[in-house]
Every structure is written in structure tokens, then in C-alpha cells.
């Protein structure tokens, strides 16, 4: 019982002695310590899921901020107004939170001990790099589509699954096996699509997107994903 008290987490079995169960921090209902291993795996899945959620969320929100800074200071105009930013925030943050899951992960990768800090220096640099890329490419979308606000918003919404695809390979975690991910992506697109309403699109000073606008937006999202995958290949080749 003394070892159970001084341990970080004292674990006892259900059929253990009463004094052992009283000293333990947790009691296993199944008389099998293999359930501890499964619990650790599930905990690491949740850890990586939350970490990737925060990375993607902060990358997109800072990407929106970077987009506004670039267009304002370098081109003296702002394409996204207060209403569009609020709706975009709901599409990429609130709806995204509904799809947080414990995804399938590579068994070998789960054996690695997680980093002590979820957001460390390397992670922070990755977020900044993502936001810079998103800010530059979203500005490219803005000028390529002649300031089509819906296309800009669509770019940021679609950048989420692009980043998820990238982190699927980086952390060897497959998010796309869950239907919740696809539902959240569709809901996000439907949320920003309220601005296709004739009254609202006139209110924000926008215009209806044409086929070319969609092509440009999707092409730049894929280009963003390509950049990320090339950087991942370089990082792995360098052993970082």
C-alpha cells in the first residue's frame, strides 16, 4: 500500500485487498493490466487530436488576421468586414469544435511519449508558418477573383481539411474515417453560403462567384497543401 501512495498514479485491481484499493488512485474494474495500455493509447489519441485541433484553429484565425494586415498595409483595402469575419469565425471555429474526435492512429506512433508541452516552440513556429502561407494565398485569391468575398471565405474554410490532410501524414492520425469531419466541412460551407443571398451579398458589397472563382480558390487550396507536403518531406529527410 505504501508504494501505491507514493506512486504518481497508484493502480489496483478490483479483486485486490481492501487496503490496496483504498490506497490506489484508480481501480481497474477488469482484472487485467492490459487495459492500462489501452487507456494510455486512448489518452494519447485525445492528446494529439486536441493538439492538431488547436494548431489548425490558430493557423486559420491568424491566417485571417495576416490576410487583413497584408491587404490593409500593402494594398490599402480590406475585403473582409466585421460581419464576414464573425461568420467565418463561426464556420472555422464553432462548427469545427463539433467534429473533435478520438481518431484512428498508427500503433507505432502511439508508443512515442507525447511532448510535455502541447504548444511548444516548434509547434508555434509551424502555426506562424501556416498563417503566413494562408495570409499570402488568401490575398492571391482576393485579387485573382477581383475581390470576391465568398471565394476568400471559401478558401479559409477549405484550408481546414487541407491542413487536416497534412497532419494526417505528419502525426499518422487518420481523421477522415469519421463522418463528423465531413459533416462539419459541409456545415462550414453552408454557413458561409448565407452570403450568396442577394440581400446579404449586396449588404457586404460582394458579388456572386463564377466558375473561374471556384477554380482559383480550389487550386490555391491544393497549392497550399502541396507546399505543406513538400515541407514535410524536407523535414523528414533532414530528420527533424
Amino acid at each position: 500500500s505504501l508504494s501505491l501512495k507514493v506512486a504518481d498514479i497508484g493502480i489496483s485491481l478490483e479483486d485486490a485487498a481492501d487496503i490496496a484499493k483504498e490506497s490506489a488512485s484508480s481501480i481497474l474494474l477488469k482484472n487485467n493490466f492490459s487495459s492500462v495500455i489501452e487507456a494510455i493509447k486512448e489518452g494519447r489519441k485525445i492528446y494529439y487530436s486536441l493538439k492538431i485541433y488547436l494548431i489548425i484553429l490558430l493557423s486559420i484565425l491568424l491566417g485571417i488576421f495576416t490576410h487583413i494586415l497584408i491587404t490593409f498595409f500593402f494594398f490599402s483595402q480590406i475585403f473582409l468586414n466585421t460581419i464576414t469575419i464573425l461568420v467565418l469565425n463561426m464556420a472555422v471555429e464553432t462548427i469545427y469544435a463539433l467534429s473533435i474526435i478520438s481518431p484512428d492512429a498508427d500503433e507505432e506512433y502511439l508508443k512515442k511519449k507525447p511532448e510535455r508541452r502541447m504548444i511548444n516552440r516548434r509547434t508555434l513556429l509551424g502555426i506562424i508558418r501556416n498563417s503566413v502561407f494562408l495570409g499570402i494565398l488568401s490575398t492571391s485569391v482576393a485579387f485573382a477573383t477581383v475581390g470576391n468575398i465568398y471565394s476568400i471565405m471559401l478558401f479559409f474554410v477549405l484550408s481546414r481539411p487541407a491542413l487536416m490532410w497534412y497532419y494526417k501524414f505528419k502525426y499518422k492520425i487518420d481523421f477522415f474515417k469519421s463522418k463528423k469531419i465531413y459533416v462539419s466541412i459541409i456545415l462550414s460551407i453552408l454557413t458561409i453560403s448565407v452570403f450568396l443571398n442577394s440581400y446579404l451579398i449586396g449588404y457586404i458589397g460582394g458579388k456572386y462567384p463564377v466558375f473561374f472563382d471556384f477554380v482559383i480558390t480550389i487550386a490555391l487550396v491544393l497549392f497550399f497543401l502541396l507546399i505543406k507536403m513538400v515541407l514535410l518531406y524536407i523535414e523528414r529527410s533532414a530528420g527533424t
Side-chain angles (χ1 to χ4, degrees):
S1 61
L2 180 61
S3 60
L4 289 172
K5 287 183 178 180
V6 298
D8 293 332
I9 302 177
I11 300 175
S12 174
L13 296 175
E14 176 64 21
D15 59 355
D18 290 339
I19 188 171
K21 290 193 286 185
E22 290 176 2
S23 303
S25 304
S26 60
I27 301 172
L28 300 179
L29 298 179
K30 294 182 180 179
N31 293 320
N32 190 344
F33 279 107
S34 63
S35 56
V36 176
I37 298 174
E38 294 302 317
I40 292 173
K41 287 181 179 179
E42 287 300 316
R44 289 182 178 179
K45 286 181 183 179
I46 294 171
Y47 172 89
Y48 287 117
S49 181
L50 287 174
K51 179 175 181 174
I52 295 171
Y53 167 77
L54 289 174
I55 291 173
I56 294 176
L57 178 62
L58 292 173
S59 295
I60 296 176
L61 293 181
L62 288 175
I64 296 171
F65 180 69
T66 305
H67 165 80
I68 294 172
L69 288 180
I70 292 173
T71 55
F72 179 73
F73 286 106
F74 291 95
F75 303 100
S76 301
Q77 57 181 315
I78 297 178
F79 297 100
L80 300 175
N81 59 25
T82 306
I83 300 297
T84 54
I85 292 174
L86 288 174
V87 174
L88 190 54
N89 182 71
M90 183 172 66
V92 300
E93 180 178 356
T94 308
I95 295 177
Y96 181 23
L98 300 176
S99 64
I100 298 178
I101 55 172
S102 179
D104 293 332
D106 184 80
E107 290 294 325
E108 290 299 318
Y109 193 83
L110 290 176
K111 292 179 182 179
K112 296 181 180 179
K113 186 177 180 180
E115 298 164 333
R116 299 191 68 177
R117 296 182 64 181
M118 185 174 288
I119 304 296
N120 52 31
R121 181 175 176 272
R122 182 182 296 180
T123 305
L124 190 59
L125 288 174
I127 293 172
I128 294 172
R129 185 171 59 188
N130 289 341
S131 63
V132 171
F133 283 141
L134 289 173
I136 294 172
L137 291 175
S138 60
T139 303
S140 301
V141 170
F143 286 100
T145 60
V146 197
N148 187 276
I149 298 173
Y150 180 80
S151 297
I152 301 170
M153 298 174 72
L154 183 63
F155 172 82
F156 282 113
V157 168
L158 294 180
S159 64
R160 176 164 69 90
L163 282 169
M164 292 178 71
W165 186 264
Y166 163 74
Y167 287 111
K168 169 187 173 181
F169 290 95
K170 184 176 177 65
Y171 292 106
K172 298 181 181 179
I173 294 179
D174 192 358
F175 295 94
F176 294 96
K177 288 187 177 180
S178 172
K179 294 180 180 178
K180 290 182 180 179
I181 294 297
Y182 299 99
V183 171
S184 67
I185 293 171
I186 293 171
L187 286 176
S188 296
I189 294 173
L190 291 176
T191 300
I192 65 170
S193 294
V194 298
F195 287 104
L196 293 179
N197 177 277
S198 58
Y199 173 76
L200 288 176
I201 204 167
Y203 176 76
I204 63 175
K207 62 177 182 176
Y208 289 105
V210 296
F211 178 75
F212 177 76
D213 296 337
F214 289 111
V215 172
I216 288 293
T217 303
I218 295 173
L220 285 173
V221 170
L222 294 176
F223 180 64
F224 170 64
L225 177 59
L226 177 63
I227 293 173
K228 295 296 297 178
M229 296 305 293
V230 169
L231 289 174
L232 178 60
Y233 175 78
I234 294 173
E235 288 173 358
R236 288 185 173 176
S237 299
T240 58

